[in-house]
Every structure is written in structure tokens, then in C-alpha cells.
């Protein structure tokens, strides 16, 4: 198990966490984080991180996505397709990576060949966040054009567009994909798929910076403060709260391993902390371990070495189709409600064959894997050209 965190200082930190054998007199097992690596590949602050069973990918304000091979502990190269800060990165299994950026594009990448399979003009403004349905067939995205968009990833097209009053900065599916949440400032709207409309709103005290589902009905919420709160998405009540850090919490990640349900938090105070969740979510979690990076952390991920990829992909016959402006429906609320219900029915997570599809024969120009050396050489040449012009 490895905790990975990006920072304003352009560095990716990696800490291996080892649970120590439980001593006979100890009530709780001890966990020890050990510094494993630091990776300085970006030329600007890190903005997003994602992991699968082999790689850690990082996005940055330098407009590139860097790939780090966790098995070999080496830089695997960079993806240079976006023209803007990388705002979100999401893996679906080991086969596909989806990226969103301030250029308004959502890109689907082959995580084996590292080719761009599809580039979709998703929003008129920035793409601020995206989330993949557990089935891998749908994705939700929000942007600075005040829209919530549903994407059919099998066909590579827009399923429907919902206008929202303000710019949302987070969207997240629940573990079973039966509900999703949309965050605007300190308000969290809870949507149910059976109605495709807001079933309730949770209000946090400060602007929400990160959310993670702990179960189908329990949501962990961190804001621009040191406190983390657990909310019930059905009753909309706060179940408990606890002081996690000395400064604002920037990102959270939750996962389950045998005998443990873990939530990890990262903060501007430089600390990464691991917490053990109780069965009763009304009770605050207990601290397992913590580590100080002495950096201002921005994003967080957990690499699980033992993860096996159980998500299958559909046959390559169902290729991703281009998305044109004409295909993005200007639908009313009733039409969009019906559309999301129909898309959801077709993408239930219990389907045997599910996942992102579309192996494009021709990779998008300028969107393949670029080695770190080639990228740095290119940057040096550009600087020389600029100096000559001056």
C-alpha cells in the first residue's frame, strides 16, 4: 500500500504503509508510513492524481499528465494533449484513463498503449470535475458553463445536459451508482437516479473541497477548514464530525481492505493521515498513522499493490463515436430526466460486460506518450526561440 500526494511545490510524494504484526498486549494494530519516493516531473503545481494497479498519473497546471510506474519506480513518460490545467483524472479499471482540463476537453486514454482514443469538447468553459459510473458506461461532468453533463462513454456522445444555477466544482457517483452528488460552494445536492432530480441538499459550514462516499448512504465531506464531517445522504443529517488537521483539508480518499475500512486525508498543513472507520458512522474514526511531508498538499491517491482488475471491457466493436455540437441536446427538464433514467437502466453495475470501450486505430495527433527527456528538450528549445525573438 502506498500513499501518494501532489503538492504546490511540484513534487509527488510516495509513502509505503506497512501494518505491523499485532502484539498480544496491543488493542490496535500499528501502521507505519515510510518515505518511498519523491518525483519532480512537473514544472508547476500538481492539481490531480489517480492510481490503478500499476501506475500513478498526475495532472498539473503545466498542462501535462505524467505517468509513474509503481512496479519499477520509474517515470513512464508524459501525455501532452490538453491546453490548460489538468483538473481531474479518473481510472476505470486498468484499461482506461479519463482526463478533464481547463480547455473544456474530456479525453479517454488507452492505459496500455497510452494513446488518446477520444477527445470530446465537453464544456464551453473549464471542465472542473468528472466522475465515472461504476459500470464504466456513463460519466458525469461539471464545468464553468453552469451545466451538469451526462456522457455515454460506450458511444462517445452526450446523453443529456442539465443547466444549474451556479458553477459546480465537484460531482461524484455513489458506490453502486444509484445516486450522485453535485457540489456548488458549500451546498451538496443529492440526486437519485430513479427520479433524476434533487432529493435533498446538504449544507456544509465552509466551501467544500473534497467528498468521498463511505457507503451508498454515507458521505464524508471536507471543506476549507480542519474538520471532516460524515453526512447521511438520505436523512441529510450530520452523523459526526472530527478535527482531522490543523489547516484546511484539501483531499480525501477512502478504500476497504480485509478487516479495515480506511479514509485518508491530506491537508495544507503538510500532513497525510490514515483513519480507521468504525462500523457505526456516528462515531468518529480513529487515527492509524500520520506523516508530515513539509509541503502544501493539493491532491491525494492510494496505490494498492494487491488490487486485481475485476472490471471487464466491452468488445472493441462498440467504438467510441465522435461528439458533435449537434449531438448535444438542448432538452428541457422532463426530457433530461427521462434520458438519465434510460441511460442508467442500460448501465447497471451488475452487468457482466461493462467498461469503457473504443480502440481507435489512429491515435489522435500529438496525444501519444512523450518521454521526459524529449519533453524537457522541447521546453529548452522553446525557451531559446523566445530569447532569440526578444
Amino acid at each position: 500500500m502506498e500513499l501518494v500526494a501532489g503538492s504546490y511545490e511540484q513534487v509527488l510524494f510516495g509513502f509505503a504503509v506497512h501494518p505491523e504484526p499485532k502484539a498480544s498486549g496491543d488493542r490496535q494494530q500499528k501502521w507505519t508510513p515510510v518515505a518511498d519516493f519523491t518525483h519532480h516531473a512537473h514544472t508547476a503545481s500538481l492539481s490531480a492524481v489517480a492510481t490503478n494497479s500499476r501506475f500513478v498519473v498526475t495532472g498539473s497546471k503545466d498542462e501535462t499528465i505524467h505517468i509513474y510506474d509503481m512496479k519499477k519506480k520509474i517515470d513512464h513518460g508524459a501525455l501532452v494533449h490538453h491546453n490548460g490545467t489538468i483538473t481531474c483524472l479518473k481510472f476505470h479499471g486498468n484499461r482506461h484513463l479519463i482526463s478533464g482540463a481547463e480547455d473544456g476537453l474530456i479525453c479517454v486514454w488507452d492505459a496500455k498503449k497510452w494513446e488518446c482514443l477520444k477527445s470530446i469538447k465537453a464544456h464551453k468553459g473549464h471542465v472542473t470535475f468528472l466522475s465515472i459510473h461504476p459500470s464504466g458506461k456513463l460519466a458525469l461532468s461539471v464545468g464553468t458553463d453552469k451545466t451538469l453533463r451526462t456522457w455515454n462513454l460506450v458511444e462517445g456522445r452526450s446523453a443529456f445536459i442539465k443547466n444549474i444555477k451556479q458553477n459546480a466544482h465537484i460531482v461524484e457517483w455513489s458506490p453502486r451508482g444509484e445516486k450522485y452528488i453535485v457540489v456548488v460552494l458549500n451546498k451538496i445536492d443529492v440526486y437519485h437516479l430513479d427520479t433524476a432530480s434533487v432529493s435533498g441538499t446538504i449544507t456544509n459550514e465552509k466551501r467544500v473541497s473534497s467528498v468521498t462516499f463511505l457507503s451508498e448512504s454515507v458521505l464524508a465531506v471536507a471543506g476549507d477548514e480542519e474538520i471532516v464531517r460524515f453526512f447521511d445522504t438520505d436523512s441529510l443529517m450530520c452523523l459526526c464530525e472530527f478535527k482531522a488537521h490543523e489547516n484546511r483539508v484539501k483531499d480525501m480518499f477512502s478504500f476497504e481492505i480485509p478487516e479495515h475500512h480506511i479514509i485518508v486525508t491530506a491537508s495544507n498543513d503538510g500532513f497525510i493521515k490514515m483513519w480507521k472507520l468504525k462500523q457505526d458512522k456516528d462515531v468518529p474514526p480513529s487515527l492509524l498513522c500520520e506523516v508530515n511531508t513539509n509541503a502544501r498538499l493539493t491532491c491525494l491517491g492510494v496505490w494498492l499493490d494487491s488490487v486485481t482488475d475485476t472490471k471487464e471491457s466491452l468488445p472493441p466493436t462498440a467504438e467510441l463515436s465522435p461528439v458533435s455540437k449537434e449531438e448535444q441536446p438542448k432538452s428541457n427538464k422532463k426530457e433530461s430526466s427521462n434520458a438519465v433514467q434510460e441511460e442508467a437502466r442500460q448501465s447497471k453495475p451488475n452487468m457482466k460486460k461493462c467498461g469503457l470501450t473504443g480502440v481507435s486505430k489512429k491515435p489522435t495527433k500529438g496525444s501519444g506518450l512523450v518521454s521526459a527527456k524529449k519533453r524537457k528538450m522541447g521546453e529548452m528549445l522553446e525557451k531559446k526561440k523566445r530569447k532569440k525573438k526578444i
Side-chain angles (χ1 to χ4, degrees), residues 1-4 14-19 29 31-34 36-37 70 73 253 255-258 260-264 274 288-289 301-307:
M1 184 194 309
E2 194 117 358
L3 307 178
V4 289
F15 294 90
V17 180
H18 305 286
Q29 189 177 30
W31 296 63
T32 309
V34 179
D36 188 31
F37 71 90
M70 290 296 289
K73 292 291 191 295
F253 190 92
F255 62 97
E256 290 185 63
I257 52 176
H260 290 87
H261 191 179
I262 308 289
I263 185 169
V264 187
M274 279 182 67
L288 287 174
C289 64
V302 177
W303 180 72
L304 299 170
D305 190 13
S306 58
V307 168

Side-chain angles (χ1 to χ4, degrees), residues 51 210 212 251-255 262-265 300-302 304:
T51 64
S210 179
T212 184
D251 205 358
M252 297 187 296
F253 190 92
S254 66
F255 62 97
I262 308 289
I263 185 169
V264 187
T265 57
L300 174 71
V302 177
L304 299 170

